[in-house]
Amino acid sequence: MTQLQRLTSLLHQDDESTPPSATTPLTSPSTAAEATEVLLLGAELTELVSALGRYGFNLAHHVAVDDIPARYWHHNTTIVTCAHHLEPAATWNTAQARRCRQKKAPIICIGADDDFDARYRLAELGASGLFTLPVEIPGLAERIEQLNREQQQAQAARVLLLDDDEELAEHYRLVLTTAGMNVRVMTRPAALLSTLAEFRPDIVLMDINMAPYSGVTLARMIRFEPQWLSLPIIYLSSEQDRDQQLSALAQGADEFITKPISDQQLIRTVRILYYRARQLSKLVSCDGLTGLLNHTHIKQALSHEFSRVQRLGHSTTVAMLDLDHFKQINDNHGHAIGDQVIKALANLLHKRLRITDHLGRYGGEEFVAILPDCDLSQAKTMFEQICRHFAALSFNGSEHKFGVTVSVGLADLNQFISAEHALNAADEALYQRKHQGRNGVSCYYLPTLPVDNG
């Protein structure tokens, strides 16, 4: 039996023996989206159950760690705990992560102490955040969503692997796929540029010697395109000379891994570089207030999706959203409250849309969403639910509580000759919605030509 066959056999054994809690969250995910899982720990957090419930989280509340069934643990669940429960919660979290062979779930602590020593102790125990009493609910909800996105993005990393050793490449693919990554393997680099454009990897693993090709030269060629300047490239090589390694790194790569490499080292290296790349990418591509794609990058995402639609022929819906009467909110309650409303809609959209969807802040109170493999009728049903859910939220104004509604326009990307035409159509549908009473969804349909009976 070869090394590759042994690994495959072990992976199948792991699949059969993995306990349900390693892969099953509190509720089964739907094909559209799954609610963010939150586990509240401590009798003092009873009031948070109803407060966070209005944000659409899937909540479980327990008084102590000993009361929590093991099946409630999942690495994508955010644990919110009182300060005095943090140590047993951290110990339980670590034990469950080891049992399920997953990374630990993030923990947010609720406490009264906010000095340096208290914060240091919380960080030492593995907390990912601290909220002091009284808890600012919108801020807590936003932090929970942020941690959830980070957990999901780490799993969804797209890795492009170039290695002319087919057996070794398949070994790496199995290892990284088992770690939750999406891996595309190439044993010949001739189709590299087209694969980059179609697969759009988050990170590239590349053998430095693939005769007659050089990995160093291929890395330099990749950097010809401005869109790939920040793409992390990792060299794989048996080269031991550090000077040679540094020389290769100076010509376009980010890291050098010396073969042979252990499976765990490979996984950790890819995850660390992917995390760094995501953080840098956010600084460039994301809106500072909401964390969504900014104007430029949501339009780029739409252009890329239009190219995919032309090539593959699947249905994709483009949505334009606008908060109703938003100027009155800023005038009556101030821009800080207006920002809370914008962030609340961004968080709701994050929860309702799929990881594969694209979401951006187009400008001011306008948003754009791109939904691959989703037709107009499916999108209309989903956004009508979003409109109802958002209208039910309550915001604390300068003098009283108030609610906000949102209007949505939809267009079918497949029906247009360019991405820009589809976006304009969604905007026209949004305009129609505004004139039809707001707080709802309108679709753009191409005009039908009259039938010539002559």
Side-chain angles (χ1 to χ4, degrees), residues 28-44:
S28 300
S30 68
T31 55
E34 62 179 279
T36 299
E37 311 287 350
V38 181
L39 177 59
L40 296 165
L41 181 60
E44 303 91 330

Side-chain angles (χ1 to χ4, degrees), residues 60-88:
H61 180 218
H62 292 273
V63 175
V65 171
D66 294 339
D67 300 332
I68 307 174
R71 68 179 184 276
Y72 275 17
W73 185 91
H74 189 268
H75 62 279
N76 280 343
T77 297
T78 300
I79 301 171
V80 180
T81 178
C82 299
H84 63 272
H85 282 299
L86 178 59
E87 189 164 355

Side-chain angles (χ1 to χ4, degrees), residues 125-143:
L125 289 171
S128 300
L130 168 66
F131 282 81
T132 54
L133 299 170
V135 178
E136 184 204 355
I137 301 299
L140 176 59
E142 182 181 354
R143 181 58 176 153

Side-chain angles (χ1 to χ4, degrees), residues 86-152:
L86 178 59
E87 189 164 355
T91 301
W92 178 77
N93 187 31
T94 300
Q96 296 302 319
R98 287 175 179 167
R99 181 180 66 87
C100 298
R101 294 189 291 277
Q102 293 282 358
K103 58 186 175 182
K104 291 183 284 189
I107 300 179
I108 295 176
C109 186
I110 308 296
D113 296 331
D114 192 25
D115 57 25
F116 176 84
D117 290 338
R119 284 178 171 267
Y120 186 86
R121 176 60 176 161
L122 296 180
E124 188 176 42
L125 289 171
S128 300
L130 168 66
F131 282 81
T132 54
L133 299 170
V135 178
E136 184 204 355
I137 301 299
L140 176 59
E142 182 181 354
R143 181 58 176 153
I144 290 172
E145 284 297 341
Q146 183 185 38
L147 289 170
N148 180 257
R149 289 195 296 270
E150 289 177 359
Q151 292 285 94
Q152 292 181 345

Side-chain angles (χ1 to χ4, degrees), residues 10-18 101 178:
L10 286 172
L11 291 175
H12 288 314
Q13 291 174 16
D14 288 347
D15 290 341
E16 295 170 358
S17 60
T18 299
R101 294 189 291 277
T178 305

Side-chain angles (χ1 to χ4, degrees), residues 153-171:
Q153 286 168 351
Q155 287 190 311
R158 295 184 302 276
V159 180
L160 179 59
L161 172 60
L162 284 84
D163 199 317
D164 56 359
D165 186 331
E166 295 185 10
E167 183 170 327
L168 187 59
E170 181 63 11
H171 175 92

Side-chain angles (χ1 to χ4, degrees), residues 439-453:
N439 188 26
V441 184
S442 292
C443 299
Y444 181 93
Y445 296 102
L446 290 173
T448 55
L449 296 175
V451 178
D452 186 358
N453 296 320

